[in-house]
Amino acid sequence: MKSKGCQYSYGIIPIQRWKTEILSFDPYIALFYDFVTEKESNLIIGKASLKLEKALTGPDPRDFVLNTEQRLSKASWFEDASPSVFRRISHRIEQVTGLKAGYRAERSFGEAYQVVNYGIGGFYTPHYDFFKIDKAFKTAGNYLQDSGDRAATFMVYLGNVTSGGATVFPRLGIGTPPIKNAALFWNNFAPENGLRDERTLHGGCPVISGHKWVTNKWIHEISTAMIRSCRKESSVKENAS
């Protein structure tokens, strides 16, 4: 794991400090230690264990499919208020990133929480979190309509893995092993121009021993609208018209 340095980061509330390890400045990738408590991690694992199903994948939010050659894991989904621990975590994400993360029925800032379990041999081949298909969001669920693509990813490690299971960014040459209660955050879009950043290609290495548990919160472009300019190509089209 390459590191650009460790520091205390301050969120929206100045008295709060987060133990932060910067893995990359461009694109920004950071690891926040002790982001959730032991009790919170165990609670989420306990709830998710009751409703796990084979995880799906796909480039279009309207058409996810089972593809065990690309991904081998099980997953379950939770809205922010069910159970309430997710609401607390969303509030924490907003404090540390400055981005709105809450799930809502329409034009949602963030998606519902995906809780994923990778057993022995579980993996996820390198992929992007963004979809690349803008028009698909217009006919997807109401919570995705007019919300934009996945601008940022926040992933919380809920358990330690005995061996394997690292999250890697092959185009950047960096990665991190699962560290219980820590959270990995990265931007999927380049802040200087608002374009999808293909350097964020990432994957989950196979679990050799143990179980890997994570929960993801994908944050959409609508959340970033107040802190960055519109996409460059969108501005060009508007000026041309």
Side-chain angles (χ1 to χ4, degrees):
M1 176 173 64
K2 287 186 178 180
S3 176
K4 302 297 183 181
C6 298
Q7 63 186 41
Y8 278 107
S9 297
Y10 292 87
I12 295 175
I13 302 175
I15 62 173
Q16 290 184 321
R17 299 193 303 175
W18 307 93
K19 292 182 287 185
T20 309
E21 185 168 6
I22 307 298
L23 302 181
S24 171
F25 286 109
D26 182 24
Y28 183 75
I29 305 174
L31 185 67
F32 300 100
Y33 288 86
D34 299 322
F35 187 77
V36 295
T37 66
E38 190 82 6
K39 182 178 179 180
E40 289 172 331
S41 289
N42 293 337
L43 175 62
I44 294 171
I45 290 174
K47 294 288 186 180
S49 297
L50 302 176
K51 49 185 295 188
L52 288 173
E53 297 180 354
K54 291 183 178 179
L56 306 179
T57 187
D60 187 328
R62 301 168 302 180
D63 188 26
F64 291 121
V65 297
L66 178 64
N67 185 350
T68 55
E69 293 184 358
Q70 182 178 1
R71 182 181 190 182
L72 185 59
S73 60
K74 294 181 179 181
S76 56
W77 294 84
F78 296 87
E79 296 181 8
D80 285 23
S82 177
S84 60
V85 61
F86 289 111
R87 185 189 296 116
R88 296 197 301 271
I89 294 175
S90 287
H91 181 62
R92 219 170 288 160
I93 291 173
E94 293 176 352
Q95 291 175 341
V96 74
T97 67
L99 299 172
K100 292 286 188 181
Y103 173 86
R104 54 186 185 178
E106 296 182 352
R107 303 182 73 227
S108 184
F109 295 118
E111 294 181 33
Y113 282 93
Q114 179 187 224
V115 182
V116 186
N117 171 251
Y118 298 87
I120 295 177
F123 67 94
Y124 202 161
T125 57
H127 61 282
Y128 301 109
D129 279 354
F130 50 73
F131 288 112
K132 283 190 169 183
I133 306 175
D134 291 317
K135 292 182 180 179
F137 291 91
K138 296 295 183 181
T139 54
N142 288 340
Y143 76 99
L144 285 175
Q145 291 186 26
D146 300 318
S147 68
D149 208 338
R150 293 169 170 174
T153 298
F154 206 95
M155 183 171 67
V156 183
Y157 295 111
L158 303 173
N160 289 314
V161 178
T162 307
S163 182
T167 302
V168 296
F169 295 80
R171 291 182 177 171
L172 299 171
I174 62 176
T176 179
I179 301 173
K180 188 172 185 179
N181 302 330
L184 190 63
F185 170 74
W186 67 90
N187 292 315
N188 293 309
F189 285 64
E192 64 272 12
N193 55 24
L195 300 179
R196 296 176 175 94
D197 193 338
E198 295 193 354
R199 295 174 298 172
T200 62
L201 183 77
H202 63 283
C205 295
V207 174
I208 298 173
S209 177
H211 284 263
K212 177 182 177 181
W213 284 93
V214 300
T215 184
N216 301 313
K217 166 66 77 169
W218 286 296
I219 302 171
H220 282 253
E221 289 182 273
I222 189 175
S223 175
T224 68
M226 301 302 293
I227 62 171
R228 74 159 191 230
S229 60
C230 297
R231 292 192 202 174
K232 183 175 290 186
E233 72 268 30
S234 297
S235 299
V236 171
K237 290 179 182 177
E238 291 170 4
N239 292 334
S241 62

